Amino acid sequence: MKTKNYYYSAKRGLKYFINTFLLWIFSLSALWFTGCDGDDGYPEVDGQNPVLTLTTTHIQSGVGRTITIEGSVSDKDGISAIRLECEDLHLDKTINLIEIYEKPLEAYDLSYKFNIQRDETGDQFTIKVTVTDVGGRTVSQDLLVTMDGDFEKPVFTLSPDKNITVLIKAETKFNLRFSVSDDRALDYVTIEIPGIEGFTSLRLEADGEKTFDFVERITLPNIEQIYNVTITAVDRMGNESVAASMISVSEMPDFEKMYLADVATVKELNSDVFGVPMRIERTGDYQYKANYYNQQAGTKIFFLPQKSDFSPICFGLDPEDNSKLTDDPETAKPIVLEQANIYYEITFDTQKSTYSIRTYPIAEAVNPIPHTYGSTSLDTWGDGGSWLQEFYFGYMTSNPREVERFTQDKTNPNLFYLEESLFLEAGTQMNFVIHNWHSDGWWNYCTWRVDNSAEPEIFGYYGKEAKYTNPAWTKPDHVGDNWAKPAVNTTGNYKLIFDAHLERAKLVPAN
């Protein structure tokens, strides 16, 4: 019995030794594998640092612009996060890939957009891009952002109209005048007018200036002819803009459009977004009618068939006979409107050089507005008046719930304007109509549209039902459903003014 017990005791001891040895081997193996995992328990492959390749290490930008931080990232162990830092730009962004994709990625294409604030004052900034893998290893690169980017094309703040008429005279002359500006630096300007004997193409150096002005009198042959003018402005980065005009040399034509200018300078003719000079009515062959509200006594006016300049044709008083008109911009005298706060009506014939003037009071100036402005009179549901709300209208860019209210002039109830000026940046294309406010966003109760979206000249009443119109207003809808979409050339504050009797509006510098 003792021998048997000893045998079984030795057998159990050997089995215990073998089990203990196997457990020890397993523990060492588990410890070895655990020691090669990443910080979050992900197994490592090569234990190498991540690889970061930025698309560029230098971005040229500017205030208010969006930059894109781009590059490729790779790591065989797995990328856990990418951090973007720049204290001066208030940028501190971590892209947590494990959180986004629920696992680390071996490869990732970085593309992060960041907007530089408009009030930023620095000249250059450094963004640190840091990549971290699952093992906690990191790699970083610096991205330099400088504020010297040039993305904008030069802008013609003054250029000849697209179509210009030069009248045949004893000496037929055309004043070529233009102004161009660039937000950074202009390089050169070229002028081409094929077909004029003695005029060669010009290349004018701008020497890195931000503005360039040009005026030159060109003598044309005294024969009916058409010339194409092409002006090209190029900045230092190669961005270019083209102004093209067609000059028709002829006897006095029957102009389809005519304008009233109540400003004194070419700069004022061109500093508006729209509305200056003011489009007037063509009533027949060579015949026109201008209705105009005169706010100040002594206003001086001319009539122009082109919008950008007082030349080559300007209709004003003949200095040798004030009962007649002349078309010569060098000798024409202005028509002076002596009475304030009254409407003028001027009719004239460009072929006969005759004109006549009459006035009428504000009380006789009819407009289409259906209710007293600011009164509780708008029928909300159109059911006969179960709920009336305040009636007003104004500048609208989205829907009738969001209308920037006009202020009505205290002297002339036909005249409206925005109390606060509009800040508009160069390059902006506007998109608006004049519309009444409605609590539930109903459309076209009392609204005005334009004749031409890009170059609005007439703001016609767009009321579709007679009950939404002053019964004394008899003009039909003559503009269509066109929103005003003029382009802004110069950054600044602008004043919007609207005359409901004249169906004219203007957006001019707020100074």
Side-chain angles (χ1 to χ4, degrees):
M1 293 298 295
K2 288 183 179 179
T3 303
K4 186 177 181 178
N5 288 339
Y6 177 80
Y7 170 78
Y8 281 111
S9 176
K11 186 177 181 180
R12 285 195 301 268
L14 178 62
K15 183 178 181 180
Y16 174 81
F17 174 78
I18 291 171
N19 289 341
T20 301
F21 179 77
L22 292 175
L23 178 63
W24 180 74
I25 293 297
F26 177 81
S27 298
L28 284 177
S29 299
L31 181 62
W32 184 83
F33 282 114
T34 301
C36 293
D37 282 355
D39 293 344
D40 295 314
Y42 297 101
E44 291 188 346
V45 177
D46 64 2
Q48 299 299 310
N49 289 335
V51 176
L52 167 63
T53 305
L54 293 177
T55 302
T56 180
T57 57
H58 180 198
I59 295 177
Q60 292 177 288
S61 188
V63 295
R65 299 196 64 86
T66 297
I67 63 172
T68 303
I69 305 168
E70 294 180 295
S72 60
V73 184
S74 61
D75 187 274
K76 290 183 178 181
D77 296 312
I79 311 153
S80 64
I82 302 172
R83 188 178 181 188
L84 312 173
E85 302 173 85
C86 181
E87 183 178 352
D88 291 336
L89 287 176
H90 307 289
L91 171 61
D92 190 351
K93 173 67 177 180
T94 297
I95 303 172
N96 190 322
L97 299 184
I98 296 177
E99 185 177 285
I100 296 171
Y101 297 99
E102 299 182 346
K103 63 179 181 179
L105 300 181
E106 290 187 14
Y108 181 75
D109 291 326
L110 173 64
S111 180
Y112 182 79
K113 296 184 182 300
F114 178 75
N115 184 65
I116 299 174
Q117 298 301 309
R118 297 189 180 282
D119 58 357
E120 187 56 67
T121 58
D123 293 326
Q124 65 179 45
F125 307 90
T126 299
I127 298 175
K128 181 175 288 296
V129 182
T130 303
V131 180
T132 303
D133 72 3
V134 294
R137 290 171 289 270
T138 64
V139 66
S140 297
Q141 283 191 32
D142 288 342
L143 172 62
L144 178 64
V145 179
T146 56
M147 308 300 279
D148 56 354
D150 188 352
F151 310 96
E152 304 298 333
K153 295 180 180 180
V155 174
F156 283 93
T157 54
L158 165 62
S159 62
D161 286 18
K162 293 179 181 178
N163 294 282
I164 300 172
T165 298
V166 177
L167 299 178
I168 295 176
K169 302 284 187 179
E171 184 182 10
T172 304
K173 299 167 293 185
F174 169 60
N175 284 330
L176 176 60
R177 188 197 315 260
F178 64 85
S179 297
V180 63
S181 64
D182 188 73
D183 62 335
R184 294 294 181 184
L186 290 165
D187 192 6
Y188 64 90
V189 178
T190 62
I191 304 171
E192 296 180 2
I193 315 178
I196 301 178
E197 185 177 351
F199 184 89
T200 58
S201 298
L202 297 176
R203 175 179 167 128
L204 309 168
E205 300 300 326
D207 300 324
E209 296 292 330
K210 288 189 174 184
T211 60
F212 185 86
D213 300 316
F214 179 86
V215 59
E216 182 174 314
R217 177 176 293 185
I218 300 172
T219 300
L220 302 172
N222 292 341
I223 57 173
E224 291 194 355
Q225 184 64 274
I226 293 176
Y227 302 96
N228 292 308
V229 180
T230 303
I231 308 167
T232 304
V234 182
D235 68 15
R236 285 283 175 87
M237 289 298 291
N239 302 311
E240 69 175 41
S241 294
V242 177
S245 299
M246 186 175 70
I247 302 175
S248 299
V249 179
S250 71
E251 302 291 345
M252 178 69 72
D254 183 11
F255 292 108
E256 185 65 29
K257 292 184 178 183
M258 189 69 66
Y259 302 90
L260 181 153
D262 60 356
V263 296
T265 66
V266 171
K267 181 180 179 180
E268 290 173 294
L269 280 180
N270 293 275
S271 62
D272 66 311
V273 177
F274 61 84
V276 178
M278 184 187 78
R279 171 85 178 274
I280 66 173
E281 183 180 352
R282 180 177 181 272
T283 58
D285 295 345
Y286 300 93
Q287 296 177 353
Y288 306 89
K289 181 177 70 171
N291 293 83
Y292 177 82
Y293 177 63
N294 191 43
Q295 286 185 280
Q296 295 183 337
T299 301
K300 299 176 180 179
I301 65 170
F302 292 99
F303 296 108
L304 308 173
Q306 69 278 328
K307 296 174 67 174
S308 63
D309 206 335
F310 291 96
S311 174
I313 300 174
C314 177
F315 295 104
L317 298 180
D318 188 327
E320 297 180 0
D321 183 356
N322 282 353
S323 67
K324 296 285 187 178
L325 296 178
T326 180
D327 56 58
D328 186 352
E330 295 184 4
T331 61
K333 301 298 182 184
I335 298 172
V336 182
L337 309 181
E338 301 289 3
Q339 300 181 59
N341 300 319
I342 199 167
Y343 281 92
Y344 277 80
E345 183 174 283
I346 306 169
T347 59
F348 59 99
D349 187 310
T350 58
Q351 192 173 49
K352 298 178 181 178
S353 300
T354 57
Y355 73 96
S356 64
I357 300 176
R358 79 173 184 95
T359 61
Y360 56 100
I362 293 171
E364 294 180 11
V366 178
N367 68 54
I369 302 171
H371 308 297
T372 300
Y373 194 77
S375 65
T376 305
S377 53
L378 193 154
D379 186 350
T380 306
W381 304 116
D383 60 1
S386 62
W387 176 20
L388 298 179
Q389 59 183 259
E390 185 182 9
F391 169 73
Y392 66 87
F393 53 82
Y395 174 76
M396 188 187 80
T397 60
S398 55
N399 66 77
R401 290 191 187 94
E402 300 177 359
V403 172
E404 194 166 341
R405 181 174 184 151
F406 276 154
T407 296
Q408 188 177 38
D409 187 71
K410 294 179 180 179
T411 302
N412 183 0
N414 299 299
L415 196 60
F416 300 85
Y417 53 88
L418 285 180
E419 195 71 44
E420 297 294 328
S421 59
L422 296 173
F423 176 74
L424 301 171
E425 293 190 334
T428 299
Q429 180 177 308
M430 303 179 71
N431 184 39
F432 76 95
V433 293
I434 297 171
H435 201 286
N436 70 281
W437 176 80
H438 192 288
S439 61
D440 285 356
W442 284 23
W443 289 84
N444 300 340
Y445 186 94
C446 174
T447 180
W448 287 262
R449 301 292 199 268
V450 299
D451 59 327
N452 184 308
S453 295
E455 299 178 1
E457 295 177 340
I458 299 172
F459 281 72
Y461 193 64
Y462 189 65
K464 289 300 183 182
E465 297 186 43
K467 64 180 179 180
Y468 301 156
T469 307
N470 177 3
W473 182 262
T474 58
K475 286 186 178 181
D477 169 24
H478 56 293
V479 292
D481 188 12
N482 297 312
W483 285 49
K485 300 180 180 180
V488 180
N489 283 333
T490 305
T491 299
N493 291 300
Y494 292 87
K495 189 80 170 178
L496 179 58
I497 304 168
F498 170 61
D499 190 311
H501 167 64
L502 299 178
E503 294 187 299
R504 299 294 187 270
K506 60 182 178 181
L507 188 59
V508 294
N511 58 359

